Amino acid sequence: FPSYYSTKANLVRLTESVHIFREETCASLMTRLESLEEVLITKGASLLIIDSIASLVRKEFDVSLPGNLAKRTALLASQAKILKFLAKNLHLSVLVTNQITSAFHSRDAVGPDSECGDSLVDASEGLVSAALGTAWSHCVNTRLLLDFVGDSSRELTVAKSTLSPITSLFVAARESGLEEVTRFDEDQKKVPRRSHELRAHKC
C-alpha cells in the first residue's frame, strides 16, 4: 500500500482527491455541514475529517457565562445529527478530532456537559481530559485516544466501540504504515495493555 504512492503520479492523484474547507466560526461550519451532502456526492468522497470539532466552540462559547453551556451543547448535538445523517446515507466514514483540557477538581465537581470529559478522576494533582464533556462523547460511535509514550511510539486506546471492548495497543508510524509495536519500560519488562478500564491522564 505505501509503495503505491512512491511514484509522483500516484502521489499527485492522491492529493488531488483531497478537498479542504477552512471555517473560522461556528456559524460558517454549521452552514458548511448543512450544504455538504451535494459536495460529498459530487466528489465521490468516502471519508470526512473535521479537525477539530472543539476548537471553534471552545473559542466562541465561554462556559463560565450563564446559558453558554446549554447553547454549546445544542450546537454540538445539531452538528452530530448532520454528521450521522451523512455517514449513514452516503456510507461515509466520519473522523472528528477533539481537544484535551486541564482540570484541577474532582469528578464530583464535573457535570455531564462540562468542559471536562468522563475520563477525569478524583485527584489533587492536575489531570487532562477530552474536552466538550460526556454529552459529546455520547454522540460518537467509536472513541479513540492517542497518547505519547516516547519519541516514535503512541498508545492507541479504543475507549468506546460497538464492536470492540475497551483495549489498547502500542503503535508507530513506519514507511509501511501504522504498525503495532511492543513497548518496554526501563527494566525491559513488557508493559501490559489496558483492558477493562482507562487510566487517568496526568499533566
Side-chain angles (χ1 to χ4, degrees):
F1 171 73
S3 60
Y4 176 80
Y5 297 107
S6 60
T7 65
K8 184 177 181 179
N10 289 339
L11 186 59
V12 170
R13 189 177 299 111
L14 170 66
T15 56
E16 288 178 344
S17 65
V18 177
H19 307 277
I20 301 176
F21 301 97
R22 298 185 184 277
E23 308 302 337
E24 302 295 333
T25 66
C26 290
S28 64
L29 176 59
M30 193 65 183
T31 300
R32 174 67 63 187
L33 292 178
E34 292 172 338
S35 61
L36 198 56
E37 182 177 6
E38 182 179 352
V39 176
L40 294 172
I41 295 175
T42 303
K43 301 298 184 181
S46 58
L47 173 64
L48 172 62
I49 300 175
I50 300 181
D51 184 19
S52 75
I53 197 70
S55 60
L56 295 180
V57 292
R58 295 184 74 192
K59 180 174 63 176
E60 295 187 25
F61 291 91
D62 183 353
V63 296
S64 65
L65 299 179
N68 270 5
L69 184 57
K71 292 178 181 178
R72 189 186 76 171
T73 301
L75 175 64
L76 289 170
S78 298
Q79 293 176 343
K81 181 179 179 181
I82 295 175
L83 293 174
K84 286 179 177 290
F85 171 84
L86 295 174
K88 180 178 179 180
N89 289 274
L90 302 183
H91 304 289
L92 184 74
S93 297
V94 178
L95 175 63
V96 180
T97 64
N98 198 350
Q99 294 179 337
I100 59 172
T101 183
S102 59
F104 295 90
H105 38 51
S106 69
R107 181 189 291 272
D108 295 335
V110 180
D113 296 320
S114 68
E115 183 72 8
C116 299
D118 54 0
S119 60
L120 187 67
V121 299
D122 188 0
S124 59
E125 58 185 328
L127 302 175
V128 294
S129 177
L132 304 185
T134 54
W136 171 254
S137 69
H138 294 319
C139 293
V140 302
N141 295 331
T142 303
R143 183 183 179 194
L144 304 176
L145 305 178
L146 195 61
D147 294 335
F148 285 89
V149 292
D151 294 335
S152 59
S153 299
R154 304 291 184 267
E155 185 177 13
L156 178 64
T157 300
V158 180
K160 177 184 177 181
S161 174
T162 57
L163 302 175
S164 169
I166 294 177
T167 187
S168 64
L169 66 155
F170 298 104
V171 297
R174 311 293 191 194
E175 291 185 358
S176 57
L178 198 64
E179 295 183 359
E180 182 176 4
V181 297
T182 301
R183 180 193 171 198
F184 292 85
D185 63 12
E186 294 79 6
D187 297 326
Q188 296 299 304
K189 296 178 181 179
K190 189 172 182 179
V191 176
R193 295 180 181 177
R194 290 183 287 187
S195 56
H196 60 282
E197 62 181 17
L198 299 177
R199 70 169 187 270
H201 298 278
K202 298 183 178 180
C203 293

